[in-house]
Amino acid sequence: MRALPVRLAVTALVAALALTACDSSKSGSADKSGDSGKSKNTAECTLGIKVGPANAATTAGDTGNVPVTLTNDGSRPCTFQGFPAIELTGGDTGWKVPDQEGANPDKVTLQKGDTATFTITYVRGKTGGTDSAAAKNVKITVPGAGDAHSYPWSYGEVTLKGGKTPDASVSPIQVAGD
């Protein structure tokens, strides 16, 4: 008869630990789930990321815009605040894109199927120029959504300011349509 209460106590403890591990308050924390552009966070939120289509700059000195769309493909809300971290890469070299000056990011919560956007604005560089970043990929890290995801950069070289900083900026994340 004494073994029964011990089993019940162990079962209750295991159940309590399992429920604690399922805390849904971590909706912004994510880990990479493959190269498909989807992040799955600990609260089972799946984020789809789509880059483009762009209003690409065609000539050196022109300005181009690359929209990025984030979609909550999961069943739980996803919350983000801030600027996405953007890095252009080419070979072993990387160039961090600065945040848009004067912009104040709002907290964005996406329910299942909701979308948000941000834009990468850049100045096209001279092909092979010493003041150009020969970018081949763009790494995107959404604040609170886990690891970076890499996508091809097919919009040409980007002008560099001061030899290291791209003449580019990234806008804050906004609910689509705002």
Side-chain angles (χ1 to χ4, degrees), residues 61-86:
D62 287 350
T63 300
N65 297 298
V66 181
V68 179
T69 304
L70 309 172
T71 303
N72 180 356
D73 292 336
S75 60
R76 297 185 186 217
C78 297
T79 301
F80 314 105
Q81 185 166 12
F83 293 86
I86 303 298

mmCIF file of all heavy atoms in Angstrom, residues 61-86:
data_model
loop_
_atom_site.group_PDB
_atom_site.id
_atom_site.type_symbol
_atom_site.label_atom_id
_atom_site.label_comp_id
_atom_site.label_asym_id
_atom_site.label_seq_id
_atom_site.Cartn_x
_atom_site.Cartn_y
_atom_site.Cartn_z
ATOM 1 N N GLY A 61 25.151 53.871 -58.105
ATOM 2 C CA GLY A 61 24.657 55.136 -57.579
ATOM 3 C C GLY A 61 23.147 55.166 -57.402
ATOM 4 O O GLY A 61 22.625 56.027 -56.702
ATOM 5 N N ASP A 62 22.427 54.229 -58.036
ATOM 6 C CA ASP A 62 20.971 54.158 -57.869
ATOM 7 C C ASP A 62 20.622 53.514 -56.541
ATOM 8 O O ASP A 62 21.405 52.732 -55.995
ATOM 9 C CB ASP A 62 20.324 53.333 -58.992
ATOM 10 C CG ASP A 62 20.307 54.041 -60.334
ATOM 11 O OD1 ASP A 62 20.611 55.250 -60.380
ATOM 12 O OD2 ASP A 62 19.987 53.372 -61.342
ATOM 13 N N THR A 63 19.427 53.821 -56.032
ATOM 14 C CA THR A 63 18.936 53.241 -54.784
ATOM 15 C C THR A 63 17.944 52.130 -55.086
ATOM 16 O O THR A 63 17.071 52.283 -55.944
ATOM 17 C CB THR A 63 18.263 54.321 -53.919
ATOM 18 O OG1 THR A 63 19.224 55.338 -53.635
ATOM 19 C CG2 THR A 63 17.731 53.740 -52.612
ATOM 20 N N GLY A 64 18.098 51.019 -54.371
ATOM 21 C CA GLY A 64 17.177 49.894 -54.511
ATOM 22 C C GLY A 64 16.565 49.537 -53.172
ATOM 23 O O GLY A 64 17.080 49.915 -52.114
ATOM 24 N N ASN A 65 15.440 48.833 -53.218
ATOM 25 C CA ASN A 65 14.736 48.392 -52.015
ATOM 26 C C ASN A 65 14.434 46.912 -52.124
ATOM 27 O O ASN A 65 13.949 46.448 -53.153
ATOM 28 C CB ASN A 65 13.409 49.146 -51.847
ATOM 29 C CG ASN A 65 13.623 50.618 -51.652
ATOM 30 O OD1 ASN A 65 14.247 51.023 -50.695
ATOM 31 N ND2 ASN A 65 13.112 51.425 -52.565
ATOM 32 N N VAL A 66 14.713 46.185 -51.057
ATOM 33 C CA VAL A 66 14.426 44.748 -51.010
ATOM 34 C C VAL A 66 13.469 44.514 -49.838
ATOM 35 O O VAL A 66 13.876 44.597 -48.675
ATOM 36 C CB VAL A 66 15.717 43.922 -50.812
ATOM 37 C CG1 VAL A 66 15.400 42.432 -50.791
ATOM 38 C CG2 VAL A 66 16.749 44.247 -51.889
ATOM 39 N N PRO A 67 12.190 44.226 -50.133
ATOM 40 C CA PRO A 67 11.253 43.939 -49.049
ATOM 41 C C PRO A 67 11.432 42.511 -48.541
ATOM 42 O O PRO A 67 11.757 41.601 -49.301
ATOM 43 C CB PRO A 67 9.884 44.110 -49.702
ATOM 44 C CG PRO A 67 10.129 43.807 -51.144
ATOM 45 C CD PRO A 67 11.544 44.233 -51.433
ATOM 46 N N VAL A 68 11.228 42.340 -47.237
ATOM 47 C CA VAL A 68 11.288 41.018 -46.616
ATOM 48 C C VAL A 68 9.975 40.831 -45.861
ATOM 49 O O VAL A 68 9.560 41.707 -45.107
ATOM 50 C CB VAL A 68 12.492 40.881 -45.669
ATOM 51 C CG1 VAL A 68 12.516 39.507 -45.015
ATOM 52 C CG2 VAL A 68 13.798 41.145 -46.424
ATOM 53 N N THR A 69 9.322 39.692 -46.096
ATOM 54 C CA THR A 69 8.037 39.401 -45.464
ATOM 55 C C THR A 69 8.214 38.270 -44.466
ATOM 56 O O THR A 69 8.815 37.243 -44.782
ATOM 57 C CB THR A 69 6.989 38.992 -46.525
ATOM 58 O OG1 THR A 69 6.896 40.035 -47.496
ATOM 59 C CG2 THR A 69 5.630 38.759 -45.894
ATOM 60 N N LEU A 70 7.679 38.473 -43.266
ATOM 61 C CA LEU A 70 7.693 37.469 -42.206
ATOM 62 C C LEU A 70 6.261 36.993 -42.012
ATOM 63 O O LEU A 70 5.352 37.813 -41.873
ATOM 64 C CB LEU A 70 8.193 38.076 -40.896
ATOM 65 C CG LEU A 70 9.503 38.858 -40.949
ATOM 66 C CD1 LEU A 70 9.756 39.543 -39.617
ATOM 67 C CD2 LEU A 70 10.637 37.948 -41.329
ATOM 68 N N THR A 71 6.041 35.681 -42.007
ATOM 69 C CA THR A 71 4.708 35.126 -41.812
ATOM 70 C C THR A 71 4.732 34.136 -40.662
ATOM 71 O O THR A 71 5.604 33.266 -40.610
ATOM 72 C CB THR A 71 4.216 34.402 -43.085
ATOM 73 O OG1 THR A 71 4.246 35.315 -44.179
ATOM 74 C CG2 THR A 71 2.799 33.870 -42.916
ATOM 75 N N ASN A 72 3.773 34.265 -39.751
ATOM 76 C CA ASN A 72 3.646 33.293 -38.667
ATOM 77 C C ASN A 72 2.907 32.085 -39.237
ATOM 78 O O ASN A 72 1.697 32.113 -39.424
ATOM 79 C CB ASN A 72 2.892 33.879 -37.476
ATOM 80 C CG ASN A 72 2.759 32.884 -36.340
ATOM 81 O OD1 ASN A 72 3.154 31.728 -36.451
ATOM 82 N ND2 ASN A 72 2.182 33.324 -35.241
ATOM 83 N N ASP A 73 3.650 31.030 -39.531
ATOM 84 C CA ASP A 73 3.080 29.795 -40.068
ATOM 85 C C ASP A 73 2.667 28.825 -38.971
ATOM 86 O O ASP A 73 2.168 27.746 -39.259
ATOM 87 C CB ASP A 73 4.095 29.098 -40.995
ATOM 88 C CG ASP A 73 4.348 29.888 -42.266
ATOM 89 O OD1 ASP A 73 3.475 30.677 -42.671
ATOM 90 O OD2 ASP A 73 5.437 29.716 -42.852
ATOM 91 N N GLY A 74 2.898 29.191 -37.726
ATOM 92 C CA GLY A 74 2.564 28.317 -36.599
ATOM 93 C C GLY A 74 1.212 28.657 -36.005
ATOM 94 O O GLY A 74 0.499 29.555 -36.458
ATOM 95 N N SER A 75 0.873 27.948 -34.964
ATOM 96 C CA SER A 75 -0.427 28.139 -34.329
ATOM 97 C C SER A 75 -0.375 29.092 -33.135
ATOM 98 O O SER A 75 -1.415 29.477 -32.623
ATOM 99 C CB SER A 75 -0.989 26.791 -33.879
ATOM 100 O OG SER A 75 -0.112 26.186 -32.947
ATOM 101 N N ARG A 76 0.815 29.475 -32.709
ATOM 102 C CA ARG A 76 0.959 30.361 -31.544
ATOM 103 C C ARG A 76 1.444 31.731 -31.987
ATOM 104 O O ARG A 76 2.137 31.862 -32.986
ATOM 105 C CB ARG A 76 1.947 29.770 -30.556
ATOM 106 C CG ARG A 76 1.461 28.449 -30.014
ATOM 107 C CD ARG A 76 2.395 27.964 -28.969
ATOM 108 N NE ARG A 76 1.996 26.626 -28.556
ATOM 109 C CZ ARG A 76 2.071 26.198 -27.327
ATOM 110 N NH1 ARG A 76 2.550 26.966 -26.392
ATOM 111 N NH2 ARG A 76 1.698 24.985 -27.031
ATOM 112 N N PRO A 77 1.127 32.778 -31.214
ATOM 113 C CA PRO A 77 1.590 34.128 -31.559
ATOM 114 C C PRO A 77 3.111 34.237 -31.511
ATOM 115 O O PRO A 77 3.762 33.566 -30.720
ATOM 116 C CB PRO A 77 0.964 35.011 -30.474
ATOM 117 C CG PRO A 77 -0.113 34.201 -29.853
ATOM 118 C CD PRO A 77 0.271 32.766 -30.023
ATOM 119 N N CYS A 78 3.663 35.086 -32.357
ATOM 120 C CA CYS A 78 5.093 35.410 -32.365
ATOM 121 C C CYS A 78 5.211 36.907 -32.114
ATOM 122 O O CYS A 78 4.506 37.688 -32.737
ATOM 123 C CB CYS A 78 5.720 35.100 -33.712
ATOM 124 S SG CYS A 78 5.678 33.380 -34.187
ATOM 125 N N THR A 79 6.098 37.299 -31.216
ATOM 126 C CA THR A 79 6.268 38.704 -30.900
ATOM 127 C C THR A 79 7.712 39.113 -31.180
ATOM 128 O O THR A 79 8.645 38.413 -30.796
ATOM 129 C CB THR A 79 5.914 38.980 -29.423
ATOM 130 O OG1 THR A 79 4.559 38.582 -29.208
ATOM 131 C CG2 THR A 79 6.076 40.449 -29.087
ATOM 132 N N PHE A 80 7.868 40.261 -31.860
ATOM 133 C CA PHE A 80 9.180 40.791 -32.226
ATOM 134 C C PHE A 80 9.210 42.267 -31.874
ATOM 135 O O PHE A 80 8.199 42.944 -31.917
ATOM 136 C CB PHE A 80 9.434 40.670 -33.731
ATOM 137 C CG PHE A 80 9.068 39.338 -34.301
ATOM 138 C CD1 PHE A 80 7.919 39.179 -35.050
ATOM 139 C CD2 PHE A 80 9.863 38.235 -34.083
ATOM 140 C CE1 PHE A 80 7.572 37.951 -35.571
ATOM 141 C CE2 PHE A 80 9.526 37.004 -34.592
ATOM 142 C CZ PHE A 80 8.376 36.866 -35.346
ATOM 143 N N GLN A 81 10.407 42.762 -31.569
ATOM 144 C CA GLN A 81 10.583 44.200 -31.408
ATOM 145 C C GLN A 81 12.007 44.538 -31.793
ATOM 146 O O GLN A 81 12.950 43.868 -31.398
ATOM 147 C CB GLN A 81 10.314 44.661 -29.986
ATOM 148 C CG GLN A 81 10.389 46.172 -29.867
ATOM 149 C CD GLN A 81 9.806 46.693 -28.567
ATOM 150 O OE1 GLN A 81 9.544 45.946 -27.655
ATOM 151 N NE2 GLN A 81 9.608 47.990 -28.504
ATOM 152 N N GLY A 82 12.148 45.566 -32.578
ATOM 153 C CA GLY A 82 13.471 46.025 -32.960
ATOM 154 C C GLY A 82 13.715 45.923 -34.441
ATOM 155 O O GLY A 82 12.801 45.735 -35.240
ATOM 156 N N PHE A 83 14.958 46.066 -34.772
ATOM 157 C CA PHE A 83 15.397 45.970 -36.155
ATOM 158 C C PHE A 83 15.950 44.569 -36.403
ATOM 159 O O PHE A 83 16.646 44.035 -35.539
ATOM 160 C CB PHE A 83 16.523 46.970 -36.435
ATOM 161 C CG PHE A 83 16.096 48.398 -36.381
ATOM 162 C CD1 PHE A 83 16.077 49.086 -35.184
ATOM 163 C CD2 PHE A 83 15.725 49.062 -37.524
ATOM 164 C CE1 PHE A 83 15.694 50.416 -35.122
ATOM 165 C CE2 PHE A 83 15.348 50.389 -37.487
ATOM 166 C CZ PHE A 83 15.322 51.072 -36.287
ATOM 167 N N PRO A 84 15.690 44.002 -37.554
ATOM 168 C CA PRO A 84 16.370 42.751 -37.875
ATOM 169 C C PRO A 84 17.854 43.039 -38.103
ATOM 170 O O PRO A 84 18.210 44.113 -38.579
ATOM 171 C CB PRO A 84 15.689 42.286 -39.157
ATOM 172 C CG PRO A 84 14.967 43.460 -39.692
ATOM 173 C CD PRO A 84 14.776 44.444 -38.590
ATOM 174 N N ALA A 85 18.695 42.100 -37.745
ATOM 175 C CA ALA A 85 20.131 42.236 -38.020
ATOM 176 C C ALA A 85 20.362 41.745 -39.447
ATOM 177 O O ALA A 85 19.972 40.635 -39.799
ATOM 178 C CB ALA A 85 20.945 41.417 -37.032
ATOM 179 N N ILE A 86 20.977 42.592 -40.246
ATOM 180 C CA ILE A 86 21.221 42.279 -41.650
ATOM 181 C C ILE A 86 22.725 42.335 -41.895
ATOM 182 O O ILE A 86 23.387 43.316 -41.541
ATOM 183 C CB ILE A 86 20.514 43.288 -42.583
ATOM 184 C CG1 ILE A 86 19.012 43.327 -42.304
ATOM 185 C CG2 ILE A 86 20.810 42.974 -44.048
ATOM 186 C CD1 ILE A 86 18.276 42.038 -42.539
#
